[in-house]
Each structure stands twice: as structure tokens, then as C-alpha cells.
Amino acid sequence: MPSLTAPLRPPSGAGASSSSGSSFTSRVILLLTVLPLALASFAFVLQWRGGLNDPASAWPTDTQRFPGMENSPIGSSSSFFSVSSSSSSSDCAEILGRSSSPSFPFYHGWKFDFDSDPRPKICITSSTSAGLEQILPWLFYHKVIGVTTFFLFVEGEAAKPAVSTVLESIPGVKVIYRTSDLEEKQAKSRVWNETWLSGFFYKPCNYELFVKQSLNMEMAIVMARDAGVDWIIHLDTDELIYPAGAREYSLRQLLSDIPSNIDMVIFPNYESSIEHDDIKDPFTEVSMFKKNYDHLPKDTYFGLYKEATRGNPNYFLTYGNGKSAARIQDFLRPNGAHRWHNYMKTPNEIKLEEAAILHYTYAKFSDLTSRRDRCGCKPTKEDVKRCFILDFDRDAFIIASTATEEEMHHWYRDRVVWTDKQINLKLLRKGILTRIYTPMAIIHGLKESGVFSNAVASAKSLSKEKFLSSMEKLQNKSSLVPNSVTAGTQSLRSSNRKIGSHTESQATGRKVLEISVIQEKAVLPSSPPRLEDLHREFHEYLAN
């Protein structure tokens, strides 16, 4: 019997096998260690000797400059890195801060004419009295997202030579002035002998504007057809199209994906929610918006209605029924400023689930006084009803007409400015409010690239004689309003501005039409649903 203290030895065969496995493992570990080191050393030697050509390290030369750098001080050098490293920081600041060429970094040339035949071709028509500080960012932003043609019906500030000269110099922009000749031609429109817009006739302020917009839209349809346009949109210059849902940030892409059997596309609107009361440039300072009812779950909308309304008459300050784009086709007509219609059929329409109109309403404190100054109504609850369609516009007009400057600021901060950060955060988390930065970034990029300043500079190069000649030619051009649009006799000024002064023959003609034809009334600006609407629907549901 072996001793308990004797060493335990495995059989000789097992010992050999264990020694062989250990040796193999050591070799594998050594190989895995040496191989990467060898490959790394080899790569280092090749790179040191210049044996590898890495395409990612090759910067463009003069023939391959970055977009938007064609005429910049950097782009004109032989190479991007030919600028001496000893240049002072002030020199860099001067180069980077200087507007080089009138170009937007993502496009070849600031005139946006890189595509000779874009499809679909999109037109925006607008009636505006704004200045260049609002119109230029609005216009070039929409050029960036694919709009090719603009029909601008101008009056007030927009019709002044300093503004209109610049607008006329921009490719794709047609400026139409509100002259007496234009008003006489528009007064012969078939609109005056129909019923769908008759509820807005012979009323001042917003009602008068609504009629003007509809008449301008009617003209724009014919002009768009002549220009070969595929889609037409009516938009104010305080509104931006937000083409969310497209494969790229492009209105052209969005509309090209619309099925061919769709006649009209509705964009629900989002409303600006400003966070301080000293906004100067809404397009580049406002990023928070209140979502539309159509883009929210019903329980979220009504569950947070009071917090979102903040004591105002409605969920939105102004309208909430969006704007629309219409496919150019036979018998197309406007149906008020927010919709289109067709004389021969009910349009087949869809409402977009993601895209929206961003409405920058009352975004500046001066909007209170500007609305007041362009309307001559009395600041009473009774009189403002015949001047303004929406409740908040009525309240704002009364405050602007009766309160002191300090009282107006207090009212504005209380009703318009979103100063409570906790409420803002809660509504952002719930989806009532949302942050949208893309339009701000695009417009800021356009501004930094010198697009707006160069548009003004190029317009100044036009001679005074050429400008006066174009004005005279535009005013005398009778083809602006085709014969197909005209069918009456009374002037716009004597019918729309002089309330109640319509002639007996026109009233008789309208009465006969009411008897023979039942027409859908124009879609007016309307507020989103209220809590009372939900209660009424609930009671109707119980009753049924």
C-alpha cells in the first residue's frame, strides 16, 4: 500500500498530452499578439513613406470648391489650407464674417435657378403690405424648399418703390400693384354675382381684406395656369410652410408624393408661442409652436385645453383651420383665403398628418398697434364684430385703442407671451407645444450668406428710368386680368369700401342666383374646437 505522503503522479500518457496542449495555446497567444503589431508597423511604414492614398484626406482644389465658396477669399486660394497658419485671429474673423457672394451654401447661386424645369412647379400667391424685413426671409425660405413662382399683390409699405423694386428684381417673382385700373378689372369678376362670398361684402377691415384676398387668388389661378404651374398655395407673409413628413425637407418632394387623384391638400396650422415680449425678427427668434387640434390626440387636446388657452377666448389666438394647396385644373376657384374649390365638382382633398403651416401671429408687440392703425372701427364690443372675424382680434383691437402703453405691455405679456417655464415644459412633454428649429436655421443661414443684402444691392443697380418704365408697363398691361375672369360691371372701391352702396341691379342679379344655384359658402378663418363643442357632441351622442 503506497504511503500517504508519497507524491501523486499522473500516468505518463496524460502528462504528455497536458504538456502538448499548453504549448499549442502559448503559440496561439503569441501569434495573436505579434500579428496586430506587425500589421500596425507595416501600415506606419507605408504611411510614412507616402505609399497610401487616403481619399478622405484629399481636400478640394480650385476646381472642386465647397458650395457657396466660389467667390470667397478662402475659395479663391489654390487650396483650402493654403491660408498661412501665422494669420492673425482678426484676419480669420474678417474672412468668416464677410458676406462673400450672394449664395446660399446648399445651392448653386442665390437666384436659385439651378433647375431649369422643376417638377412639380409650385406657386405661392400672397396679398401683403409688409416691408422687406419680413418679405425677403419669407420669400427666400420658400425658394429653398422648392417654390418656383410668387404672385405678390402689394399695397401699403410693400408697394413703395424701395420695396417693390427689390421684389421685382428677384427671379420668379411677379409684383401686382393695387391700382384703380386693377380694382376696376377685379370688380368685373364673377365673384360679385355669386353667393359663396356674399357674406363678406360691404364690411370693413378683416372682411374687406378677405374679399381682396379672394379676388387676388382668382387672378393668380389664371396667371399660374399661364406660367405652367402645377400647384398653387395662398399664404400670408407671416406664415411659413413646414414640409414635415417628406423624405427630404422639401415642399416639392412632399407634393410630388401626393396621388394624382387628389385635388387639394390641407396643411393644419401651428401657432407661434413666443417666450419674451421684445421679439424683433420672429422667423429667427421663435422656435416654440402650439400644435393644431388635427395633430393631437383628442384626450390630450381637451384635457389640457384650459392650460393651453391661458384665459384667451380660444385655443389659438387667431385662426385654426389651416391653409391649403390646390392642383391647377379646369374650373378651379378660391373658396376664401384658406381653401380652394371647383365650379364643376367637389374637390377630392386630404389633410396632411405631419406637414403644417407655421403662423407667426402677434409675435411682435408692434402687431397690436399695426392692426389698430389699419382699421378705422370704433373700439366697442358691438362695432368690432363688423370689423374682425375672430374673438382675439377684437379684444386686441379694443386694448390697443383704449389702453396706455404700459397697460398694453401688461396685457400682451399676460395673453401672448409664454413666461411660465414649468407650464411650457409640461405642455412640451404632453405634445401641445413643440420645438421647430429648421426654418430658423435656414433663414439665419440665408441672412449670413448675404442673400438678403445682395438682393437689395442688386435692385439698386436698376436705373430709375427702367423702374418707371416697368411700373408704367405693369399698370397698362391689360392681360393681367384675362377676359375669362371678368363678368360684371361695378368697381371694387365703390362696392367693397363703401358699405351698403351696391346698386339695385347687382343685388337683383345675386338674388336670382340664390334661387337658381345653391353654392357652398366660403371657408372663413375659424378657431379650433372649444370645450363647449365637446360637451355639445357628448350630449348629442347621449340623445341619439
Side-chain angles (χ1 to χ4, degrees), residues 127 153 155 178 183 186 192 197 200-201 205-219 234 337 492-493 496-497:
S127 303
F153 293 81
E155 53 185 304
R178 180 152 290 279
E183 291 183 341
Q186 284 192 337
W192 293 104
L197 196 60
F200 297 87
F201 294 157
C205 298
N206 278 14
Y207 290 93
E208 179 184 357
L209 174 62
F210 197 75
V211 173
K212 283 183 181 179
Q213 289 173 329
S214 298
L215 293 169
N216 293 342
M217 290 165 70
E218 186 181 41
M219 280 183 56
H234 175 260
L492 177 62
R493 289 178 297 168
N496 193 33
R497 294 183 179 176

Side-chain angles (χ1 to χ4, degrees), residues 5 7 10 29 44 114 145 229 257 280 285-286 315 326 340 368 407 414 469 482 504 509 536 543-544:
T5 60
I29 292 174
F44 175 77
F114 52 92
I145 64 173
V229 167
D257 292 337
K280 302 299 181 185
E285 295 180 57
V286 178
Y315 173 79
W340 306 87
L368 283 179
E407 290 171 337
D414 185 51
S469 174
E504 182 180 351
R536 185 172 58 252
N544 294 330

